[in-house]
Amino acid sequence: MAQTQLAILMASVALIVIGVYSAIFIDNIIKKIIGISFIEEGVNLFIVAIGYKAGGVVPILMPGMDTTWFASNAAYPLPFGLVLTSIVIGASTLAVMLALVMVLYRRYGTLSTKVMLADTSKQEEYNE
Amino acid sequence: MLEFVLCIIMVLSAILALIQKDLLKAAILTGFSGGALAVLFQILLAPDVALTQAIVGAAIVPVFIALAVKKTQRSDD
Amino acid sequence: MKLYDQIFDVVKQFKKLFSPGPVTNADVSGSITAEIFIIVSLVLSAILLRHVNVLLAALVTLILAVVLISNIPLIPKFKKEQDDSLEKMLFYAIVTLAIIVVFMYWGGNLV
Amino acid sequence: MNELIPIMVIVPLMAALLISAFSKFNKATKIFAFVVAICLPIIPLASNYGLHYFGGYAPILDNVTNVMYHPAITYSFTFLQQIFIAIVGLLTFLVVFVYLTKYKKVSGPYLFLLFLGTAAVTAMILTDDIFHMFVFFEILALAQVGIVAASSIDYSYEMALKYMILGSIGSPIMLLGIGFLLALTGSVNVTDIATAVHNGLVDITSPVFLMSLALIFFGWLYASGLPPFHTIKSGVYSKAEPHGAALLQSFTVISMISIVLIMFRIFSTLPIFEVLIVFFSILAMILGVSLALTQTDFRRMIGFLAVGELGFIGLGIGLGTTFSLTAGLFQALNEILITALLFIGFGAIVEATNEVDTRKLGGLLAYHPKVSIMLLIGGMAMAGVPPLNGFQSKLMLVQASLNCGYPELSILAIMVSIATFVVFVKTFYTMFLKPKPKDLELENKEVPRSMIFTMGVLLIIIILLGIFPDVVTTGISNFVGGIL
């Protein structure tokens, strides 16, 4: 079952690479934000894959289970707890970014990063 | 076997979302990617994470993006 | 003679740096200070390579000094590369990430 | 009285939630915020040192291997945490005070963000759990973005969005590094990880361990605003309201030292760790100060200087001896105070003149003598002029790098100090001494008295720390001896 873990790792690396690619090369700001959120998903997938145990069971102790058998067969639950937090943080970050984009769209009328988030130091320094 | 299919679905829909011209389609494809990830979490023995990811990744995030698209513009040019 | 002209030309190029507004002498002298500071400090930090290899440090220091001095004014170029546009910030962030990762993977045990 | 340790995080967090919920009642909110803000510096000073285990799960001793395991999220509270939490609490109090006196109608969300940021940095420096630190680091990033976006300065939304986009690359990368560490050791407790590394349970030459260092290091660069993030960090400072910027830079410094101390405890066995930190610190000093010299917007100039000064902290930590670490941490404390003074002082000038370009200002010494004298002393403290605290920490850093056998670094540190001084002389001349330009209209606006009070308090601490540095350095040195 090592193939499963390998495939999962490949998929998470692919997601991270897609995210990094979109951060540099995609101009539309909403698509850029979508792309960057894939980095977060890839990292989450990776961390869950750490806790996975091939042929194991879900780390919930049901009544009637043998404790020693459970301890040697259950998946490692600590990474799952971390990912839960991370998912929620990612969603809230995405929401704040989209809200800022909506405000900025009203000012610029375009979604292009080159226009919206260009260098502003010259305009504001000497506006007369 | 299922996990390979899900990995491919997830990565493919991520790529497809980024090459769409229509941003609403991109939002829906993001939901596909998040949903596939949720099922993948279930296969990886993390049902609690899968539940959260199913709600957040497959429902809330696409809705957020769709709302943002509705308030701004739909086509990417 | 060419280097002299180039050094003399530096002040004119600083004018463009503050282009929309007036150029005061304090700003120009600050920029010249920054110019000298950046050359001296980069050369000085190149000397730190002597802890790796003395010959390498001498070579790098000399080459760096020649390259930096023959390329003045440096500050307009530096400032242009570090402006506020998101593209440049993202580009440099990701280039740095790639350099750190590659350096650590292949060279992490060499030091 | 170890119950006070979690209270340090809980009080600002609860205050933040209550204020944002009941911000309709203007008067009551003001009084409540003021009372909570006064409590913030007092709680750490009244508390005893010790450890706090959340949920009461005490460490478990493994009898076979004789190793302690920490199942609970642990807060450790020592002299270092005490002094930094007290200082950030004091700064929060001063900032909230300035904010409350500036506006008649307070904004609940803004106070919420200020208190949330304070709670987040307090938790970051207290915690002994690397994932707990990451969670509060993300909360801190959101609070910082909020503080920037809430200001009324032009282009603040753009800067906030840029900071968030860069952050949403930086923090998942850091989480990935934490994941690598988790995969290697099976724990997120820093003490457990450090024990595993030092006992040889982890192969420190393995690529996974090296990659975890690389990825966490990149996250640290984002958190502390060292290059390549120096432009965005200085931009964020210049786009926040002056009192907000004073608080933002303290958040940055504290998150920087709390992450770097964790990294130091885990990775200090790798020689390359110190090389990386020193390299980026040198880069930060050179780029920060040389860019500050060319700025005409004085808020931006302070922002770049603040980033350049972070290089000194990194230098002290990168050298890796007890003395240099003490110097670096003392420099961190000084920088929080000095930069806050400068941001608030220059903010007072903005408030009085409505102008941020040094080319359009001049002759302000006659109009605002108190502010200008205090700013001059603050600038001297940052550049390292003798009786002030910046001098003490920079002298320690120079001595430390000489002791380690790197005279180049001492020369570089002195050069950066001189360049910092040049920046101040130039700015002070153009703003305060140069004849007043004809088209500059000063409608005799007074600087708010609360700002002058704040600057006075900070200045007294700066001078006291400069004359009696031993009050702080002895305790920090003991702490450093404990982690080395």
mmCIF file of all heavy atoms in Angstrom, chain C residues 19-46:
data_model
loop_
_atom_site.group_PDB
_atom_site.id
_atom_site.type_symbol
_atom_site.label_atom_id
_atom_site.label_comp_id
_atom_site.label_asym_id
_atom_site.label_seq_id
_atom_site.Cartn_x
_atom_site.Cartn_y
_atom_site.Cartn_z
ATOM 1 N N SER C 19 11.497 61.818 -9.796
ATOM 2 C CA SER C 19 11.051 62.587 -10.961
ATOM 3 C C SER C 19 9.833 63.488 -10.759
ATOM 4 O O SER C 19 9.923 64.659 -11.150
ATOM 5 C CB SER C 19 10.854 61.648 -12.143
ATOM 6 O OG SER C 19 9.928 60.659 -11.812
ATOM 7 N N PRO C 20 8.696 63.046 -10.183
ATOM 8 C CA PRO C 20 7.559 63.961 -10.255
ATOM 9 C C PRO C 20 7.763 65.244 -9.447
ATOM 10 O O PRO C 20 7.225 66.278 -9.792
ATOM 11 C CB PRO C 20 6.395 63.144 -9.684
ATOM 12 C CG PRO C 20 6.878 61.781 -9.522
ATOM 13 C CD PRO C 20 8.343 61.828 -9.445
ATOM 14 N N GLY C 21 8.531 65.195 -8.389
ATOM 15 C CA GLY C 21 8.692 66.375 -7.547
ATOM 16 C C GLY C 21 10.036 67.046 -7.763
ATOM 17 O O GLY C 21 10.814 66.632 -8.608
ATOM 18 N N PRO C 22 10.322 68.083 -7.005
ATOM 19 C CA PRO C 22 11.624 68.740 -7.095
ATOM 20 C C PRO C 22 12.713 67.880 -6.448
ATOM 21 O O PRO C 22 12.430 67.013 -5.634
ATOM 22 C CB PRO C 22 11.427 70.041 -6.315
ATOM 23 C CG PRO C 22 10.357 69.719 -5.336
ATOM 24 C CD PRO C 22 9.459 68.734 -6.002
ATOM 25 N N VAL C 23 13.956 68.134 -6.829
ATOM 26 C CA VAL C 23 15.062 67.382 -6.255
ATOM 27 C C VAL C 23 15.834 68.301 -5.326
ATOM 28 O O VAL C 23 16.329 69.339 -5.743
ATOM 29 C CB VAL C 23 15.992 66.861 -7.365
ATOM 30 C CG1 VAL C 23 17.053 65.971 -6.753
ATOM 31 C CG2 VAL C 23 15.198 66.112 -8.383
ATOM 32 N N THR C 24 15.893 67.948 -4.052
ATOM 33 C CA THR C 24 16.622 68.797 -3.116
ATOM 34 C C THR C 24 18.018 68.236 -2.925
ATOM 35 O O THR C 24 18.281 67.066 -3.188
ATOM 36 C CB THR C 24 15.911 68.847 -1.762
ATOM 37 O OG1 THR C 24 15.817 67.513 -1.273
ATOM 38 C CG2 THR C 24 14.542 69.438 -1.886
ATOM 39 N N ASN C 25 18.921 69.087 -2.433
ATOM 40 C CA ASN C 25 20.293 68.619 -2.258
ATOM 41 C C ASN C 25 20.376 67.553 -1.184
ATOM 42 O O ASN C 25 21.199 66.656 -1.254
ATOM 43 C CB ASN C 25 21.232 69.793 -1.966
ATOM 44 C CG ASN C 25 20.689 70.660 -0.861
ATOM 45 O OD1 ASN C 25 19.676 70.307 -0.249
ATOM 46 N ND2 ASN C 25 21.332 71.775 -0.597
ATOM 47 N N ALA C 26 19.499 67.622 -0.174
ATOM 48 C CA ALA C 26 19.524 66.599 0.869
ATOM 49 C C ALA C 26 19.212 65.232 0.291
ATOM 50 O O ALA C 26 19.863 64.236 0.622
ATOM 51 C CB ALA C 26 18.514 66.944 1.960
ATOM 52 N N ASP C 27 18.233 65.181 -0.636
ATOM 53 C CA ASP C 27 17.887 63.892 -1.222
ATOM 54 C C ASP C 27 19.028 63.333 -2.054
ATOM 55 O O ASP C 27 19.336 62.137 -1.994
ATOM 56 C CB ASP C 27 16.634 64.047 -2.088
ATOM 57 C CG ASP C 27 15.404 64.203 -1.246
ATOM 58 O OD1 ASP C 27 15.405 63.680 -0.125
ATOM 59 O OD2 ASP C 27 14.453 64.878 -1.696
ATOM 60 N N VAL C 28 19.654 64.232 -2.854
ATOM 61 C CA VAL C 28 20.732 63.742 -3.713
ATOM 62 C C VAL C 28 21.908 63.275 -2.866
ATOM 63 O O VAL C 28 22.498 62.228 -3.125
ATOM 64 C CB VAL C 28 21.149 64.837 -4.710
ATOM 65 C CG1 VAL C 28 22.378 64.405 -5.464
ATOM 66 C CG2 VAL C 28 20.026 65.090 -5.674
ATOM 67 N N SER C 29 22.227 64.027 -1.810
ATOM 68 C CA SER C 29 23.356 63.584 -0.989
ATOM 69 C C SER C 29 23.021 62.293 -0.269
ATOM 70 O O SER C 29 23.880 61.412 -0.118
ATOM 71 C CB SER C 29 23.759 64.668 -0.003
ATOM 72 O OG SER C 29 22.649 65.045 0.755
ATOM 73 N N GLY C 30 21.753 62.136 0.128
ATOM 74 C CA GLY C 30 21.341 60.867 0.721
ATOM 75 C C GLY C 30 21.509 59.727 -0.254
ATOM 76 O O GLY C 30 21.988 58.647 0.113
ATOM 77 N N SER C 31 21.143 59.964 -1.513
ATOM 78 C CA SER C 31 21.264 58.898 -2.500
ATOM 79 C C SER C 31 22.715 58.549 -2.756
ATOM 80 O O SER C 31 23.052 57.374 -2.938
ATOM 81 C CB SER C 31 20.604 59.313 -3.802
ATOM 82 O OG SER C 31 19.266 59.605 -3.569
ATOM 83 N N ILE C 32 23.599 59.586 -2.777
ATOM 84 C CA ILE C 32 25.018 59.289 -2.998
ATOM 85 C C ILE C 32 25.566 58.491 -1.815
ATOM 86 O O ILE C 32 26.331 57.537 -1.992
ATOM 87 C CB ILE C 32 25.805 60.593 -3.219
ATOM 88 C CG1 ILE C 32 25.375 61.209 -4.547
ATOM 89 C CG2 ILE C 32 27.287 60.324 -3.241
ATOM 90 C CD1 ILE C 32 25.975 62.549 -4.802
ATOM 91 N N THR C 33 25.134 58.853 -0.600
ATOM 92 C CA THR C 33 25.541 58.069 0.573
ATOM 93 C C THR C 33 25.101 56.627 0.422
ATOM 94 O O THR C 33 25.875 55.696 0.698
ATOM 95 C CB THR C 33 24.902 58.653 1.848
ATOM 96 O OG1 THR C 33 25.021 60.064 1.808
ATOM 97 C CG2 THR C 33 25.565 58.124 3.077
ATOM 98 N N ALA C 34 23.850 56.448 -0.014
ATOM 99 C CA ALA C 34 23.337 55.092 -0.170
ATOM 100 C C ALA C 34 24.152 54.331 -1.193
ATOM 101 O O ALA C 34 24.445 53.142 -1.024
ATOM 102 C CB ALA C 34 21.878 55.137 -0.586
ATOM 103 N N GLU C 35 24.538 55.028 -2.262
ATOM 104 C CA GLU C 35 25.330 54.405 -3.324
ATOM 105 C C GLU C 35 26.661 53.884 -2.775
ATOM 106 O O GLU C 35 27.034 52.719 -2.961
ATOM 107 C CB GLU C 35 25.572 55.492 -4.382
ATOM 108 C CG GLU C 35 26.273 55.059 -5.614
ATOM 109 C CD GLU C 35 25.301 54.490 -6.602
ATOM 110 O OE1 GLU C 35 24.193 55.030 -6.703
ATOM 111 O OE2 GLU C 35 25.664 53.510 -7.243
ATOM 112 N N ILE C 36 27.356 54.782 -2.046
ATOM 113 C CA ILE C 36 28.654 54.384 -1.496
ATOM 114 C C ILE C 36 28.465 53.285 -0.459
ATOM 115 O O ILE C 36 29.194 52.299 -0.426
ATOM 116 C CB ILE C 36 29.348 55.610 -0.879
ATOM 117 C CG1 ILE C 36 29.649 56.619 -1.984
ATOM 118 C CG2 ILE C 36 30.631 55.223 -0.183
ATOM 119 C CD1 ILE C 36 30.049 57.962 -1.465
ATOM 120 N N PHE C 37 27.424 53.445 0.363
ATOM 121 C CA PHE C 37 27.161 52.473 1.420
ATOM 122 C C PHE C 37 26.922 51.085 0.839
ATOM 123 O O PHE C 37 27.444 50.087 1.341
ATOM 124 C CB PHE C 37 25.947 52.936 2.224
ATOM 125 C CG PHE C 37 25.462 51.931 3.216
ATOM 126 C CD1 PHE C 37 26.152 51.734 4.390
ATOM 127 C CD2 PHE C 37 24.323 51.194 2.983
ATOM 128 C CE1 PHE C 37 25.729 50.800 5.301
ATOM 129 C CE2 PHE C 37 23.888 50.266 3.886
ATOM 130 C CZ PHE C 37 24.598 50.070 5.047
ATOM 131 N N ILE C 38 26.158 51.053 -0.241
ATOM 132 C CA ILE C 38 25.798 49.730 -0.765
ATOM 133 C C ILE C 38 27.019 49.049 -1.367
ATOM 134 O O ILE C 38 27.233 47.848 -1.177
ATOM 135 C CB ILE C 38 24.618 49.874 -1.752
ATOM 136 C CG1 ILE C 38 23.731 48.667 -1.637
ATOM 137 C CG2 ILE C 38 25.067 50.012 -3.159
ATOM 138 C CD1 ILE C 38 22.401 48.879 -2.229
ATOM 139 N N ILE C 39 27.876 49.822 -2.047
ATOM 140 C CA ILE C 39 29.078 49.217 -2.635
ATOM 141 C C ILE C 39 29.990 48.703 -1.524
ATOM 142 O O ILE C 39 30.423 47.544 -1.522
ATOM 143 C CB ILE C 39 29.818 50.246 -3.514
ATOM 144 C CG1 ILE C 39 28.986 50.579 -4.740
ATOM 145 C CG2 ILE C 39 31.165 49.695 -3.955
ATOM 146 C CD1 ILE C 39 29.547 51.697 -5.557
ATOM 147 N N VAL C 40 30.250 49.569 -0.539
ATOM 148 C CA VAL C 40 31.201 49.197 0.510
ATOM 149 C C VAL C 40 30.689 48.008 1.302
ATOM 150 O O VAL C 40 31.426 47.064 1.591
ATOM 151 C CB VAL C 40 31.463 50.409 1.428
ATOM 152 C CG1 VAL C 40 32.347 50.000 2.576
ATOM 153 C CG2 VAL C 40 32.110 51.511 0.651
ATOM 154 N N SER C 41 29.382 48.031 1.633
ATOM 155 C CA SER C 41 28.896 46.963 2.502
ATOM 156 C C SER C 41 28.835 45.632 1.767
ATOM 157 O O SER C 41 29.116 44.588 2.363
ATOM 158 C CB SER C 41 27.528 47.327 3.076
ATOM 159 O OG SER C 41 26.683 47.683 2.043
ATOM 160 N N LEU C 42 28.492 45.668 0.473
ATOM 161 C CA LEU C 42 28.466 44.391 -0.259
ATOM 162 C C LEU C 42 29.872 43.818 -0.376
ATOM 163 O O LEU C 42 30.078 42.614 -0.200
ATOM 164 C CB LEU C 42 27.839 44.579 -1.643
ATOM 165 C CG LEU C 42 26.319 44.695 -1.663
ATOM 166 C CD1 LEU C 42 25.829 44.927 -3.065
ATOM 167 C CD2 LEU C 42 25.690 43.434 -1.118
ATOM 168 N N VAL C 43 30.849 44.695 -0.663
ATOM 169 C CA VAL C 43 32.230 44.209 -0.764
ATOM 170 C C VAL C 43 32.697 43.674 0.576
ATOM 171 O O VAL C 43 33.332 42.615 0.673
ATOM 172 C CB VAL C 43 33.140 45.346 -1.272
ATOM 173 C CG1 VAL C 43 34.591 44.948 -1.159
ATOM 174 C CG2 VAL C 43 32.808 45.677 -2.705
ATOM 175 N N LEU C 44 32.329 44.400 1.632
ATOM 176 C CA LEU C 44 32.734 43.987 2.976
ATOM 177 C C LEU C 44 32.150 42.636 3.337
ATOM 178 O O LEU C 44 32.831 41.781 3.916
ATOM 179 C CB LEU C 44 32.269 45.044 3.974
ATOM 180 C CG LEU C 44 32.889 45.008 5.341
ATOM 181 C CD1 LEU C 44 34.368 45.277 5.218
ATOM 182 C CD2 LEU C 44 32.255 46.039 6.218
ATOM 183 N N SER C 45 30.870 42.432 2.960
ATOM 184 C CA SER C 45 30.296 41.138 3.330
ATOM 185 C C SER C 45 30.833 40.027 2.444
ATOM 186 O O SER C 45 30.786 38.868 2.840
ATOM 187 C CB SER C 45 28.775 41.188 3.293
ATOM 188 O OG SER C 45 28.326 41.976 2.258
ATOM 189 N N ALA C 46 31.376 40.386 1.257
ATOM 190 C CA ALA C 46 32.003 39.339 0.442
ATOM 191 C C ALA C 46 33.272 38.832 1.108
ATOM 192 O O ALA C 46 33.673 37.691 0.886
ATOM 193 C CB ALA C 46 32.313 39.875 -0.948
#
